[in-house]
Amino acid sequence: MHLQAVFGIAATHLQGKSEAALLALSRSLKIAEDLDEAVNQVALLGMLRTFYFRSGDFRTALLYAQRCRAVSETVDDVAASAQARSILGRSLHLMGDLASARVELEASLDLWSRVRRTTIYLSHELHYPSEVTLARNLWLQGHPLQAEQRAHDIIETATMIDRPAALAVVLGWAASVYLWTGNWDLAEKHIEAIVYHAESNSLGPFIAAGRARRGELAILRGAAQTGVEDLRASLRAIHAVGYETLTTELSISLVHGLNMIGQFAEAMELVDQTISAVAANGDELYLPELLRVRGAVLLKMPQPREDEAKDCLSQSLDLSRRQGARAWELRTAIDLARLEASRGEIGVAAKILRPVFDNFVEGSHTMDLMRAQELLIQLD
């Protein structure tokens, strides 16, 4: 059972999606079920969820996470419960259920704090995935300072352990926080660390992910052509190994870069393909941002399609509110307010943006809040 599990999880780290990894994990789970070993079932269901999660099949991953959580309730084991709640929280996060994800992640961290051990638990990395996912969740819910602090703390902790794959996962997910807040110097530092650790330990999927992050950062810093080329190459490598966890997030950055260099047809084709993929795969967390970026492309075309863009932005605003994703809501409110202002509707623009901006109580130095404040000053 354990030999099959170790092979499966190692193959997933090194190769990404592979039938050999899936077969080994499935065999190991069957043995655990035949032996009625609930604790091992929790671990193996978690590994299978990780397999589908990294393959980009987030709906199937959620089903395994829910099974894992149900099995954990049948056994009196704190670590099993902590692991199951972490796994479910991370799946709910990408499904766009931010409130439920936060409940599960915080409960997981509370449980992990009661586990008196320093080694890994059946090939999982204790509290690290919960911490870094909670950092992202906090940013999305409108707490950028808390998000940055939590990301900083977990990176510091993960750096001290001799687990390159775990550190690469933490750095890869934490990079989102720094890219989103506009803290690009720290983003660069951690992105280079991802690539270094991945290359030093032959972690193929993480090498591609780290290089893709480089492309994202280049686009944000204005080197759009370079960033687009890097992202295209990295996404090809990511697709080749089936490591699709961050594909939607990276595709959004590529659309942004294509829009910047005037490749509007390709940008529109990619954003529409990505929206369709989200509908199929389930990482609906990104849908408000996809709709916002689609609106941005429509507005920048040689013949802007303002009415269609406004419809995209309105849909994005509504969906971000339903998700409780105040960070996406702010970005969309900025774009929609600018569109209204360009049409001479200054009062409408201020009415859209002001209440969204006023909901934030921290992070005035972060990128989106600074953009919002500057626009509000102009509107006033």
Side-chain angles (χ1 to χ4, degrees):
M1 175 178 65
H2 289 295
L3 286 174
Q4 294 277 2
V6 169
F7 173 80
I9 202 68
T12 303
H13 277 306
L14 293 171
Q15 301 167 4
K17 184 179 182 180
S18 84
E19 289 302 316
L22 178 59
L23 182 59
L25 293 172
S26 299
R27 284 174 173 170
S28 188
L29 175 61
K30 180 63 166 60
I31 295 170
E33 290 173 338
D34 289 344
L35 296 174
D36 197 26
E37 292 188 1
V39 171
N40 284 327
Q41 288 177 49
V42 169
L44 290 160
L45 287 164
M47 292 176 194
L48 281 160
R49 171 263 176 199
T50 297
F51 175 87
Y52 285 104
F53 195 80
R54 291 184 176 178
S55 302
D57 186 351
F58 302 106
R59 296 191 191 283
T60 302
L62 178 62
L63 294 177
Y64 276 99
Q66 290 168 335
R67 282 179 62 187
C68 182
R69 179 82 162 82
V71 173
S72 74
E73 293 178 350
T74 69
V75 59
D76 185 16
D77 186 291
V78 177
S81 297
Q83 183 172 307
R85 299 198 76 161
S86 172
I87 288 163
L88 181 56
R90 282 139 58 198
S91 283
L92 291 169
H93 171 79
L94 276 193
M95 298 294 286
D97 188 350
L98 298 178
S100 297
R102 185 171 177 179
V103 168
E104 294 298 325
L105 293 168
E106 290 180 341
S108 169
L109 290 171
D110 178 62
L111 288 165
W112 277 126
S113 70
R114 305 179 205 172
V115 177
R116 302 306 176 195
R117 63 176 73 205
T118 58
T119 58
I120 60 171
Y121 177 72
L122 293 175
S123 299
H124 282 270
E125 309 301 338
L126 296 178
H127 62 289
Y128 306 118
S130 295
E131 289 275 14
V132 74
T133 306
L134 184 56
R136 287 166 46 96
N137 216 80
L138 285 167
W139 182 84
L140 287 158
Q141 290 184 302
H143 308 288
L145 287 186
Q146 294 178 53
E148 281 198 332
Q149 185 61 55
R150 191 169 287 271
H152 169 79
D153 291 346
I154 192 55
I155 289 171
E156 289 291 305
T157 303
T159 302
M160 294 187 291
I161 65 170
D162 186 23
R163 297 284 297 172
L167 179 57
V169 169
V170 167
L171 290 169
W173 284 90
S176 299
V177 173
Y178 297 109
L179 292 170
W180 289 339
T181 60
N183 196 336
W184 295 336
D185 289 340
L186 270 180
E188 181 178 20
K189 173 185 174 182
H190 297 315
I191 289 166
E192 293 308 311
I194 299 167
V195 177
Y196 169 77
H197 288 289
E199 290 180 342
S200 300
N201 294 278
S202 301
L203 300 173
F206 298 105
I207 296 172
R211 291 174 178 172
R213 290 296 199 190
R214 281 177 177 167
E216 284 191 286
L217 183 58
I219 289 168
L220 287 169
R221 282 179 160 167
Q225 188 65 55
T226 298
V228 164
E229 291 170 3
D230 287 347
L231 264 177
R232 281 175 173 154
S234 298
L235 279 167
R236 284 195 294 270
I238 286 168
H239 296 325
V241 297
Y243 186 70
E244 306 290 352
T245 306
L246 291 170
T247 297
T248 302
E249 192 172 325
L250 298 173
S251 295
I252 291 171
S253 294
L254 181 53
V255 171
H256 180 53
L258 291 167
N259 198 31
M260 288 174 67
I261 63 175
Q263 299 294 322
F264 305 120
E266 186 179 349
M268 185 60 67
E269 182 180 8
L270 178 57
V271 76
D272 286 342
Q273 288 175 349
T274 306
I275 289 171
S276 295
V278 165
N281 298 330
D283 51 339
E284 295 175 6
L285 169 68
Y286 299 111
L287 193 50
E289 184 70 347
L290 278 165
L291 290 166
R292 184 188 75 84
V293 172
R294 190 177 193 276
V297 176
L298 290 165
L299 288 172
K300 200 174 178 184
M301 287 179 166
Q303 295 182 329
R305 291 149 59 178
E306 288 190 0
D307 289 342
E308 192 176 345
K310 182 177 178 180
D311 185 54
C312 283
L313 294 173
S314 298
Q315 289 180 53
S316 173
L317 204 60
D318 179 62
L319 184 55
S320 63
R321 287 168 177 166
R322 283 190 275 132
Q323 288 185 352
R326 287 164 55 196
W328 293 154
E329 182 186 6
L330 179 64
R331 286 186 173 185
T332 301
I334 292 169
D335 288 2
L336 190 54
R338 280 182 175 156
L339 175 57
E340 293 291 358
S342 72
R343 292 174 157 185
E345 298 289 347
I346 305 300
V348 172
K351 189 175 180 180
I352 290 168
L353 183 56
R354 173 61 69 183
V356 180
F357 176 80
D358 287 345
N359 276 333
F360 284 78
V361 297
E362 64 177 63
S364 59
H365 70 287
T366 56
M367 179 174 61
D368 294 332
L369 284 164
M370 290 174 67
R371 289 171 57 230
Q373 187 170 33
E374 181 181 352
L375 179 54
L376 284 168
I377 291 171
Q378 293 172 5
L379 293 174
D380 288 343

